[in-house]
Amino acid sequence: MKRISSELKEAKTIAIGGHVRPDGDCVCSVMALYRYLQKKLPQAEIDIYLEEPPAPFHVLQGIEDIKSEFNTDKSYDLFFALDCNDERLGDALPIFRRAKKRVNIDHHISNTGCGDINIVEPERSSTAELLYDLMEPEFVDEEIAKAVYIGIAHDTGVFRYSNTSPHTMQIAADLLKFGFDFSALIEETYYEKTYFQTQIMGRAILGSVRFMDGRCIVSMVSRRMMEFYCVTPKDLDGIVNQLQGVKGVDCAIFMYETGTLEYKVSMRSNGLVDVSKVAVKFGGGGHVRAAGCTMNGTYHDNINNLSREIAAQLPK
Ligand code: 5GP
Ligand code: MN
């Protein structure tokens, strides 16, 4: 944390926040930084403002300290916004705005930096990886190592996506030396699904449709389906990745209904299409191969609008 050492020295109150519907990298980055700052600055008061993380992340120590109640007038000396820009901080945005100094740490290519200090490095696999390199090694313990490891594992699809660099693997190797059960952690937080999560995934895959000569695939989950299978948006992670795994598919789209004529869109690509550019067109963002946005309109209008942007990028 050399780049922000003077800010840290003076900070008596610190808040940490991440994006709405926090994913593995976001939750783990927040928890790793929380524990790191507790160790480095034992006198400081540190609070976390984040939506309730998915159940499997309760293996992380300190997760019960997360404040999912954002009603506060507090004005923090320092606010860390992790894995997102200010637009995606949700209800933590007013707290971020009130803070005396704001630090933005992220790896999304679409993020132009929303802090007074911005550490945004799109070539990084994950925010967790970037954060780890900012930490002074003497404060890193097994719990921090676990969080960083799971964060990286989630954003790299368990060291599989092209964002995995030799440096990513080097960090993972260093972290494994702490001796935690990495295999169980990945199984429990990444692969394991509840029965209902598995059922809704099956339902979504069954209802998927290919178009553009099989180069695109799309599926949608309505609010009624979510009610029927007793699931919430958190339970839909992984569906779009399954769709992207279909042979011949260059770009996968998954949508779930969030309101009347409102859908949350997730996109994945094999790299031929920059889905971050597509998402940015509709007010969202992300990475070249994984991005998302929220769209208004009917399901079919949304598909039409997205496929126009995708087709413009796809080589014939
Ligand atoms: P997912 O499809 O897994 O929700 O998100 C894929 C990637 O796109 C993630 O890195 C996520 O942070 C980003 N992303 C998803 N939805 C949005 C959005 O509405 N706005 C922005 N800026 N990024 C998004
Ligand atoms: Mn991330």
Side-chain angles (χ1 to χ4, degrees), residues 186-213:
I186 290 181
E187 187 60 35
E188 285 162 24
T189 66
Y190 191 87
Y191 291 109
E192 199 172 87
K193 296 207 173 293
T194 64
Y195 179 55
F196 288 133
Q197 286 169 343
T198 309
Q199 280 200 314
I200 190 100
M201 179 180 279
R203 173 75 189 257
I205 293 169
L206 206 58
S208 66
V209 175
R210 290 187 302 172
F211 58 104
M212 286 190 202
D213 294 326

Side-chain angles (χ1 to χ4, degrees), residues 61-116:
Q61 237 180 55
I63 199 123
E64 63 283 354
D65 295 348
I66 291 180
K67 292 186 195 310
S68 296
E69 170 56 63
F70 298 77
N71 231 334
T72 176
D73 297 329
K74 260 176 139 172
S75 162
Y76 290 88
D77 293 334
L78 206 53
F79 191 114
F80 284 92
L82 303 186
D83 202 40
C84 63
N85 61 1
D86 49 357
E87 286 164 20
R88 295 186 72 216
L89 281 171
D91 293 337
L93 183 58
I95 310 170
F96 173 81
R97 290 213 170 120
R98 267 200 310 276
K100 294 185 189 99
K101 201 94 190 223
R102 290 164 284 260
V103 182
N104 187 199
I105 302 176
D106 189 17
H107 70 129
H108 288 94
I109 197 162
S110 52
N111 184 1
T112 49
C114 63
D116 303 303

Side-chain angles (χ1 to χ4, degrees), residues 23 25-26 83 107-108 125-127 155 287:
D23 60 0
D25 182 33
C26 180
D83 202 40
H107 70 129
H108 288 94
S125 70
S126 51
T127 299
D155 254 25
H287 312 281

Side-chain angles (χ1 to χ4, degrees), residues 195-313:
Y195 179 55
F196 288 133
Q197 286 169 343
T198 309
Q199 280 200 314
I200 190 100
M201 179 180 279
R203 173 75 189 257
I205 293 169
L206 206 58
S208 66
V209 175
R210 290 187 302 172
F211 58 104
M212 286 190 202
D213 294 326
R215 297 177 77 178
C216 289
I217 190 164
V218 66
S219 184
M220 188 269 283
V221 162
S222 66
R223 280 193 291 179
R224 275 179 65 178
M225 284 188 224
M226 284 196 260
E227 274 163 34
F228 182 79
Y229 291 101
C230 311
V231 296
T232 64
K234 276 188 229 174
D235 300 308
L236 306 175
D237 277 0
I239 294 177
V240 69
N241 296 323
Q242 283 293 327
L243 297 173
Q244 177 58 27
V246 174
K247 195 170 166 63
V249 164
D250 293 322
C251 182
I253 305 169
F254 172 69
M255 280 181 227
Y256 64 85
E257 201 183 1
T258 47
T260 309
L261 294 180
E262 189 187 86
Y263 293 88
K264 176 72 198 161
V265 178
S266 278
M267 287 178 282
R268 296 293 182 270
S269 126
N270 57 7
L272 282 183
V273 178
D274 180 345
V275 285
S276 161
K277 280 191 187 153
V278 178
V280 166
K281 284 251 176 193
F282 300 102
H287 312 281
V288 173
R289 292 168 188 249
C293 56
T294 297
M295 290 178 84
N296 296 296
T298 67
Y299 174 52
H300 288 100
D301 281 346
N302 291 340
I303 297 175
N304 283 339
N305 289 329
L306 289 167
S307 44
R308 196 179 323 112
E309 297 300 327
I310 293 166
Q313 280 193 44

